[in-house]
Amino acid sequence: MELRQLEAFAAVISTGSVTAAGRLLGRSQPAISRLVQELEQEIGYALFSRNGPRVTPTEQGFLLYEDVAHALQSLQHIRQRASEIAQGSQRPLNLLATPALAAGLVPQALAQMGAEAADSISHIRVRSASPEQVAHGVLTGAAQMGVSSLPLEHRGLQVHWIGRAACVAVLPQGDPLADLEVVPLAALADRRLITMTNPYRLRGRLDDAFAAARPGAQRGKTQFMETNASVNAIAAVRAGLGVSVLEPVTALGLPLQGVVVRPLDTEIPFLFGVVTQQAAPCTPAMDALCQTLTDVAQRLLPGFVLHDARDHAALLEEMLPPGQLPAPAAQESSENHE
């Protein structure tokens, strides 16, 4: 395979046409077509279905694109790093965080560091990813630091601290429950709930809390709208599609007009932490950012409790119902998403 072939293939998928890919790469339409055809001949299967001037990626093409896009992005980082080394620049700080923490906590921490951060970190890359991808990115060295929800007990990760804060109710402005200082969890069970999809993280704790709040209630009676990101849930609440119980970082760190955030009468814990690779020492800038993330979380989240990283197993046991604590080997290979 040649780099030009992979670039042409990725450009066609990204833009949706051979002509647009040619404009993007500064090459002619016939040249793009030839490169893609050469790549198809080399790998032995079609990447696109062709219907006149239109092309549609095949299933195999979509599967290959994920790895090609990752490889091209890595190559771009190498080129950029080579240029930075030539100019004597410091290595960029690559940070991975789950969407809630990337939106509600990380920007405020970087803003608090202010000019000091600009002096110590010349280039910062912040990307959002699932908790599993955060752990994998730090373990493989793609990111020097990760901010993620629990569990974080993966071999090779150093957990610096674990934070705990209570989930909150998110209601449309003008909702009768918004007049209460504390919202009863049982009062939300009769409403349409906008909630997270993954049963192995926050969603599982929500289901258990609602079951305890309304013992004897029929399961399946409550209407649900599911999503994979807290910001989507808040937007749905603002649109009047229901109410939600969410982790507090997005609700308080990224407030939206038209919604009201209230504490609950039942504590549903949200736990998260900061991780780095055990084998890689932290730079002073990373240590400063780690401390600033703690400071911002304490200021932002009411009732925030800071735990030592050694409390990880005990916190997991407290979160999970009896008999559901995963074995250590399963924790290390967990592929849970939030």
Side-chain angles (χ1 to χ4, degrees):
M1 297 182 190
E2 295 183 5
L3 178 59
R4 292 181 303 165
Q5 296 170 346
L6 299 178
E7 288 177 335
F9 163 61
V12 173
I13 285 194
S14 297
T15 61
S17 77
V18 175
T19 302
R23 288 197 298 265
L24 180 67
L25 297 178
R27 295 192 176 102
S28 66
Q29 183 267 340
I32 297 295
S33 296
R34 184 178 66 255
L35 289 168
V36 172
Q37 290 169 2
E38 290 172 353
L39 179 60
E40 290 175 323
Q41 291 172 1
E42 183 163 348
I43 61 178
Y45 53 82
L47 297 169
F48 297 95
S49 299
R50 294 164 174 82
N51 183 12
R54 297 183 179 276
V55 293
T56 303
T58 63
E59 182 178 355
Q60 291 169 311
F62 274 122
L63 291 173
L64 182 63
Y65 173 73
E66 182 177 350
D67 289 321
V68 169
H70 179 73
L72 292 176
Q73 185 180 48
S74 297
L75 182 59
Q76 182 182 7
H77 288 168
I78 292 172
R79 287 170 172 164
Q80 184 172 2
R81 182 59 187 144
S83 175
E84 291 167 346
I85 291 173
Q87 298 171 11
S89 302
Q90 296 179 355
R91 182 186 179 189
L93 173 60
N94 293 302
L95 188 147
L96 276 175
T98 56
L101 297 164
L105 183 66
V106 172
Q108 295 197 39
L110 293 174
Q112 181 167 313
M113 291 181 73
E116 180 182 348
D119 293 337
S120 58
I121 310 173
S122 60
H123 189 174
I124 302 173
R125 298 190 187 107
V126 179
R127 291 188 295 126
S128 60
S130 69
E132 172 238 338
Q133 290 169 331
V134 171
H136 183 263
V138 175
L139 286 170
T140 59
Q144 295 106 295
M145 180 179 290
V147 191
S148 175
S149 57
L150 262 57
L152 287 171
E153 200 169 32
H154 295 69
R155 182 174 296 158
L157 287 183
Q158 179 181 350
V159 182
H160 292 263
W161 55 261
I162 295 171
R164 173 175 180 153
C167 292
V168 294
V170 181
L171 310 163
Q173 200 166 33
D175 189 285
L177 292 177
D179 294 332
L180 302 177
E181 292 186 4
V182 179
V183 174
L185 186 66
L188 300 176
D190 295 325
R191 307 285 294 275
R192 187 184 200 187
L193 287 172
I194 302 163
T195 185
M196 299 294 103
T197 305
N198 189 342
Y200 298 108
R201 287 183 178 266
L202 182 56
R203 172 64 185 274
R205 298 199 293 279
L206 292 178
D207 288 346
D208 292 336
F210 274 112
R214 299 192 63 195
Q218 294 182 358
R219 276 190 179 271
K221 188 175 180 180
T222 304
Q223 296 183 29
F224 288 101
M225 174 181 171
E226 297 181 337
T227 181
N228 65 340
S230 297
V231 68
N232 296 344
I234 297 175
V237 170
R238 184 174 63 174
L241 297 176
V243 298
S244 188
V245 175
L246 294 176
E247 46 74 22
V249 180
T250 305
L252 299 173
L254 195 67
L256 292 179
Q257 292 184 347
V259 299
V260 176
V261 179
R262 293 287 182 266
L264 293 162
D265 68 343
T266 303
E267 185 190 11
I268 304 173
F270 174 68
L271 296 106
F272 61 99
V274 174
V275 294
T276 59
Q277 192 181 89
Q278 273 185 344
C282 288
T283 65
M286 292 167 63
D287 288 333
L289 179 55
C290 185
Q291 179 59 51
T292 307
L293 286 165
T294 310
D295 298 339
V296 172
Q298 289 176 326
R299 185 181 71 247
L300 175 68
L301 306 175
F304 175 82
V305 177
L306 185 66
H307 291 274
D308 189 276
R310 292 170 292 184
D311 297 337
H312 186 279
L315 291 170
L316 275 183
E317 188 172 4
E318 181 182 343
M319 284 195 308
L320 296 176
Q324 291 190 17
L325 185 65
Q331 291 175 344
E332 292 168 6
S333 60
S334 171
E335 292 188 354
N336 296 339
H337 297 267
E338 185 156 50

